Amino acid sequence: MFKITKKTLLAPNIYLMDVHAPRVAKAAKPGQFLIVRVHEKGERIPLTICDYDASAGTVTIVTQTVGASTNLICAKEEGDAFLDFVGPLGQPSEFVEETPEELKSKRILFVAGGVGTAPVYPQVKWLKQQGVDVDVIIGAKSKDHLILKDEMSAVAKNVYVATDDGSFGTKGLVTDVLADLVESKGLKYDVVVAIGPMIMMKFVSLATKKYGIKTIVSLNTLMVDGTGMCGACRVTVGDKTLFTCVDGPEFDGHLVNFEEAMRRQVMYKSAEGQKLRKQEKESDSSCRCEQ
Amino acid sequence: MANKIPRVPVREQDPNIRKSNFEEVCYGYNAEEAMLEATRCLSCKKPKCVAACPVSVNIPQFILEVAKGNFEEAARVIAADSSLPAVCGRVCPQESQCEGDCIVGVKSEPVAIGKLERFVGDYANEHQLNLASTAPANGFKVAIIGSGPAGLACATDLAKLGYEVKIFEALHKPGGVLEYGIPEFRLPKEKVVKAEIENVRRLGVTIETDVVIGRTVTIDELLDEEGYHAIFVGSGAGLPKFMSIPGENLNGVVSANEFLTRTNLMKAYDESYDTPIYVGSRVVVVGGGNVAMDAARTAARLGAIVTVVYRRSKAELPARVEEVHHAEEEGIIFQLLSNPTEIVGDEKGWVKGVKCIRMELGEPDSSGRRRPVEVPNSEFEVETDVVIMSLGTSPNPLISSTTPGLNLNKWQCIIADEEGKTTREGVFAGGDAVTGAATVILAMGAGRTAAKSIDKYIKAKHS
């Protein structure tokens, strides 16, 4: 069992949890993910690792209630425990292998969308520790849904925010901010790292392809085991079929077939819908995450 | 003469009933049937069946005890060589091992060794017999990677010799392929797999789940930081193969591994579990091995009309005859001498059919089987909602790629000699990780061999 040592509400429906998992905490690197199982009859749910503290033996996850399984995670409270918590899985970010000199010679821009801001934060923090300054664009539905803004500002050189309703920063999408930085302000970047909803990563990749900027995306595909066994996470990258769980989760955004990836993501959508309805029926208060 | 009695038939669930449930197909023998069947054994002086058994169970001896009604003693005889009799009695290919070499089988049908072993295994589990007997602790620690048949067999023998043994399992449940691969209707999980793993635990073996070796912790860390004196890698062959034909990434195309993991490990067939599964109304299974039969029969139980597409003829089907027979009884359609060339999708990206081409058998290839060749202009399409690819598996590179000095052959299998020694000192391997996908019992045999070799290695090094 893996105990939840801290739970914080970051924004409506978005929770941060620290989980005691010493083996995972010791081995984790930026860019990797893990798998959580909440109860005996539960699914194996892949989540991006948001932070880790080897000395405390804890791993941080940030979850948004978007479906039956994430509802179950968010319903857990401080002091409760997850049945299974396995990782780190997948390849670490490419930059982990690079020297600080190599990294410092690059101008890096992170584009974070919604709950995807959470896994971007430790990467920016890690780079800051290596003496590398980066820029970050955060996209959120509204000011209320914006997470980790202050934390990000503390470790990034510039943080730009875009909200759908204009309640904070630029009104519009992250790609609008990206266009403004690159096209109007003439800023130069060597690498863009985009983490967020599939649709956002797709449009960021389309834009950066136009600008000729190398782009890394982190895919959140369907998975069962997460160790290369099932192939549910297959994705077409260039002319190859790769497994997100062992070859990824980070890929060259210019080579990912996003149409296919988005289509595959909803393969069990109707089953998910049935489960949500069942959850609502079974539980009178379920996870009152909406408030 | 004892062998004048015909082989005692085994009772099975009616095909028309079982094709819509996940209860076990074969009921096995009761005590009376087992004792009668046991009298057919000739107790050969030089038993060929024992030589044909990868773990060398003393078959005539345990059968003699069954004949006398000494079931506990029979269990003890088997336990000396196997910790998984209820598993092996169900899933071993006896027809090509012990029963294949049975002398009674020359003129009549061979003794039903498998069904007798199963009876004894079930008896031991039902009566919770404690057959554990171990040497005093010797102070040495061995880590086993993978809790499938190879790892469990290796752990059993080492624990009996007094080693402190810990098994690391990547998934949330121990058992490996016994848990995620073989369906409930062939190998019940609670009654059989869990019970036999409990027997291994009774020997003092501990199992830590949720540890992916190569990611969560490396072999080097186990040796250098966690104080293990040797390692056995029994991580299996878990990577699914695909065909690399157009349309393979359409929604509705899954590997047999994914399909079976969803139903077996995650219990998607039971609505009270969260993991979803999709079968639509028609399913095509590509491949003709035991795994293909498992996938086909599972899909049928989930309500689909199932067609197995295999490129050679019935005689070459790699699946056990018994499995093919059961599949046919359950209404699985066999589209033989056919090979998919393309998976066709609808406008929303879901599978709607499989384009196939007819094949004919040409000259024998390196495997000795006649090589299938395409018949020109013979393309046809099979309508389907789901395609399950069951083309075999290969070992996962996670461990080899993170363990310096652990070498692989060209099929990505770990190189190990006949004693289970790898190219890295202190690291041993066996089972599918070394041979590529094979059987439960061969993996167990390799686990036992490696256990002997680990014992020899540690004693030589620390004496």
Side-chain angles (χ1 to χ4, degrees):
Chain A
M1 298 288 273
F2 301 85
K3 200 170 165 185
I4 299 159
T5 57
K6 189 175 117 184
K7 181 184 181 186
T8 323
L9 180 67
L10 293 183
N13 306 333
I14 304 179
Y15 292 89
L16 177 146
M17 289 176 179
D18 284 345
V19 180
H20 188 68
R23 282 193 188 277
V24 187
K26 182 167 174 253
K29 293 211 175 83
Q32 292 184 298
F33 68 97
L34 51 80
I35 281 182
V36 176
R37 215 166 61 103
V38 180
H39 64 100
E40 203 38 64
K41 295 186 171 185
E43 278 189 272
R44 294 172 63 91
I45 310 157
L47 296 171
T48 309
I49 293 175
C50 291
D51 209 348
Y52 45 87
D53 181 342
S55 58
T58 56
V59 176
T60 307
I61 54 172
V62 172
T63 321
Q64 183 171 22
T65 54
V66 288
S69 287
T70 43
N71 280 352
L72 287 171
I73 293 177
C74 292
K76 289 282 168 187
E77 299 299 339
E78 228 167 80
D80 291 348
F82 292 120
L83 205 51
D84 299 283
F85 198 83
V86 56
L89 299 168
Q91 305 287 342
S93 299
E94 219 175 80
F95 62 71
V96 171
E97 305 293 329
E98 298 178 36
T99 63
E101 286 66 40
E102 284 175 307
L103 290 169
K104 275 182 213 164
S105 71
K106 285 182 187 166
R107 289 155 299 180
I108 307 172
L109 172 70
F110 282 87
V111 182
V115 74
T117 313
V120 164
Y121 169 66
Q123 301 204 12
V124 174
K125 189 174 89 173
W126 188 88
L127 286 163
K128 175 79 180 171
Q129 285 160 356
Q130 315 297 310
V132 184
D133 282 327
V134 305
D135 289 348
V136 181
I137 303 173
I138 304 177
K141 216 151 75 178
S142 71
K143 190 184 175 209
D144 287 344
H145 292 84
L146 185 62
I147 61 168
L148 301 169
K149 160 75 175 62
D150 296 340
E151 290 85 345
M152 199 71 87
S153 299
V155 291
K157 194 168 144 210
N158 297 297
V159 175
Y160 309 94
V161 176
T163 50
D164 294 353
D165 63 359
S167 53
F168 196 95
T170 306
K171 182 177 191 305
L173 303 170
V174 289
T175 40
D176 298 330
V177 179
L178 178 66
D180 181 54
L181 294 179
V182 177
E183 292 178 28
S184 315
K185 299 209 168 70
L187 295 183
K188 304 271 183 237
Y189 292 103
D190 300 303
V191 184
V192 166
V193 179
I195 305 181
M198 203 83 96
I199 188 86
M200 180 206 91
M201 295 190 282
K202 175 188 162 181
F203 280 102
V204 169
S205 298
L206 281 174
T208 55
K209 195 165 187 177
K210 197 170 69 186
Y211 306 142
I213 309 171
K214 179 185 170 175
T215 298
I216 308 289
V217 295
S218 175
L219 299 185
N220 49 334
T221 58
L222 294 180
M223 281 183 200
V224 184
D225 62 289
T227 64
M229 223 177 76
C230 79
C233 65
R234 357 200 245 294
V235 55
T236 303
V237 181
D239 55 1
K240 285 197 194 111
T241 292
L242 298 177
F243 284 13
T244 304
C245 68
V246 287
D247 301 313
E250 298 191 346
F251 294 107
D252 182 340
H254 296 160
L255 297 179
V256 170
N257 181 339
F258 281 104
E259 294 304 316
E260 179 189 279
M262 286 190 281
R263 190 194 73 217
R264 290 185 58 80
Q265 232 181 359
V266 299
M267 185 158 155
Y268 293 97
K269 203 92 195 205
S270 57
E272 169 83 0
Q274 286 158 14
K275 230 170 4 187
L276 269 175
R277 281 201 297 279
K278 198 175 114 205
Q279 234 177 39
E280 284 160 9
K281 264 191 280 172
E282 277 173 4
S283 146
D284 44 328
S285 62
S286 72
C287 162
R288 288 267 175 236
C289 302
E290 299 300 323
Q291 282 101 48
Chain B
M1 282 290 285
N3 58 359
K4 289 270 172 65
I5 308 168
R7 177 163 158 139
V8 177
V10 68
R11 290 161 293 116
E12 286 178 351
Q13 218 194 131
D14 185 292
N16 288 316
I17 296 168
R18 74 179 191 238
K19 70 183 180 190
S20 53
N21 70 46
F22 280 82
E23 305 294 312
E24 198 170 10
V25 169
C26 174
Y27 292 124
Y29 286 152
N30 59 28
E32 204 178 323
E33 292 163 333
M35 286 169 72
L36 180 62
E37 177 64 19
T39 63
R40 297 180 67 232
C41 178
L42 302 176
S43 292
C44 302
K45 284 277 172 291
K46 285 185 185 164
K48 287 190 163 186
C49 52
V50 179
C53 172
V55 299
S56 316
V57 166
N58 191 339
I59 294 165
Q61 187 60 40
F62 98 74
I63 293 183
L64 191 68
E65 299 298 345
V66 174
K68 288 192 270 183
N70 297 337
F71 304 137
E72 181 163 345
E73 196 44 41
R76 247 172 244 292
V77 172
I78 298 178
D81 297 292
S82 172
S83 46
L84 307 174
V87 169
C88 293
R90 287 172 166 84
V91 305
C92 264
Q94 290 96 6
E95 64 281 5
S96 58
Q97 296 174 356
C98 52
E99 294 181 23
D101 281 9
C102 174
I103 298 297
V104 179
V106 176
K107 288 190 174 164
S108 164
E109 277 195 275
V111 176
I113 301 169
K115 300 289 181 275
L116 289 172
E117 184 187 25
R118 169 189 160 151
F119 168 77
V120 174
D122 285 350
Y123 180 90
N125 291 335
E126 275 155 29
H127 293 79
Q128 301 198 338
L129 299 184
N130 189 356
L131 307 166
S133 71
T134 54
N138 64 16
F140 294 108
K141 284 169 71 175
V142 180
I144 309 258
I145 317 305
S147 62
L152 290 170
C154 188
T156 299
D157 282 10
L158 288 169
K160 284 180 184 167
L161 290 168
Y163 287 91
E164 182 186 332
V165 183
K166 185 175 208 176
I167 304 181
F168 293 97
E169 168 55 47
L171 295 171
H172 57 267
K173 261 190 185 172
V177 73
L178 308 175
E179 190 64 43
Y180 76 75
I182 304 174
E184 179 75 19
F185 56 83
R186 276 215 297 136
L187 185 63
K189 306 300 163 220
E190 280 293 310
K191 181 182 144 196
V192 178
V193 180
K194 198 177 165 194
E196 301 218 311
I197 290 174
E198 268 324 298
N199 291 339
V200 177
R201 282 202 172 104
R202 267 193 211 126
L203 295 165
V205 172
T206 53
I207 303 177
E208 185 175 345
T209 52
D210 294 332
V211 180
V212 182
I213 302 297
R215 285 275 175 266
T216 313
V217 59
T218 62
I219 298 261
D220 283 325
E221 287 168 330
L222 291 177
L223 289 167
D224 302 340
E225 295 171 24
E226 301 200 18
Y228 288 97
H229 297 91
I231 310 267
F232 173 74
V233 181
S235 50
L239 291 195
K241 288 179 186 158
F242 288 90
M243 293 186 83
S244 300
I245 56 173
E248 233 171 352
N249 289 346
L250 287 166
N251 285 12
V253 184
V254 296
S255 70
N257 259 9
E258 175 180 351
F259 189 74
L260 291 172
T261 301
R262 283 181 186 275
T263 46
N264 300 333
L265 177 72
M266 307 310 295
K267 309 234 181 299
Y269 67 84
D270 179 340
E271 282 183 3
S272 70
Y273 283 75
D274 290 349
T275 300
I277 192 154
Y278 177 73
V279 288
S281 52
R282 284 167 198 268
V283 170
V284 163
V285 177
V286 182
N290 288 319
V291 175
M293 297 307 120
D294 285 345
R297 296 170 68 197
T298 297
R301 281 163 172 74
L302 292 168
I305 298 167
V306 185
T307 305
V308 169
V309 173
Y310 177 60
R311 61 196 181 132
R312 301 184 211 239
S313 69
K314 191 169 174 182
E316 288 83 19
L317 278 168
R320 292 179 67 192
V321 173
E322 181 181 324
E323 301 306 322
V324 176
H325 172 69
H326 278 151
E328 284 175 327
E329 279 186 337
E330 289 162 17
I332 307 296
I333 303 156
F334 284 80
Q335 178 68 54
L336 301 165
L337 287 165
S338 303
N339 204 30
T341 54
E342 184 186 343
I343 298 164
V344 189
D346 65 14
E347 64 287 352
K348 286 184 175 158
W350 284 80
V351 170
K352 64 171 190 180
V354 185
K355 272 190 194 156
C356 298
I357 188 159
R358 293 200 194 281
M359 310 293 276
E360 57 188 12
L361 295 178
E363 295 300 310
D365 63 11
S366 57
S367 72
R369 291 180 301 177
R370 291 174 67 193
R371 199 169 63 88
V373 286
E374 290 183 358
V375 176
N377 305 316
S378 66
E379 288 86 353
F380 64 99
E381 198 172 318
V382 182
E383 223 180 283
T384 192
D385 304 309
V386 167
V387 178
I388 301 174
M389 290 293 181
S390 181
L391 308 154
T393 52
S394 60
N396 196 319
L398 263 181
I399 291 174
S400 48
S401 65
T402 53
T403 310
L406 188 65
N407 296 342
L408 302 181
N409 66 18
K410 63 174 173 180
W411 297 282
Q412 301 300 305
C413 298
I414 296 172
I415 297 174
D417 66 13
E418 62 282 1
E419 294 189 327
K421 258 189 235 152
T422 68
T423 51
R424 169 77 189 267
E425 199 208 315
V427 181
F428 299 77
D432 287 4
V434 169
T435 57
T439 60
V440 166
I441 191 69
L442 285 173
M444 288 179 65
R448 295 201 77 190
T449 305
K452 274 197 206 96
S453 170
I454 288 170
D455 182 45
K456 213 164 80 184
Y457 162 79
I458 292 180
K459 283 184 177 149
K461 196 172 174 186
H462 299 273
S463 65

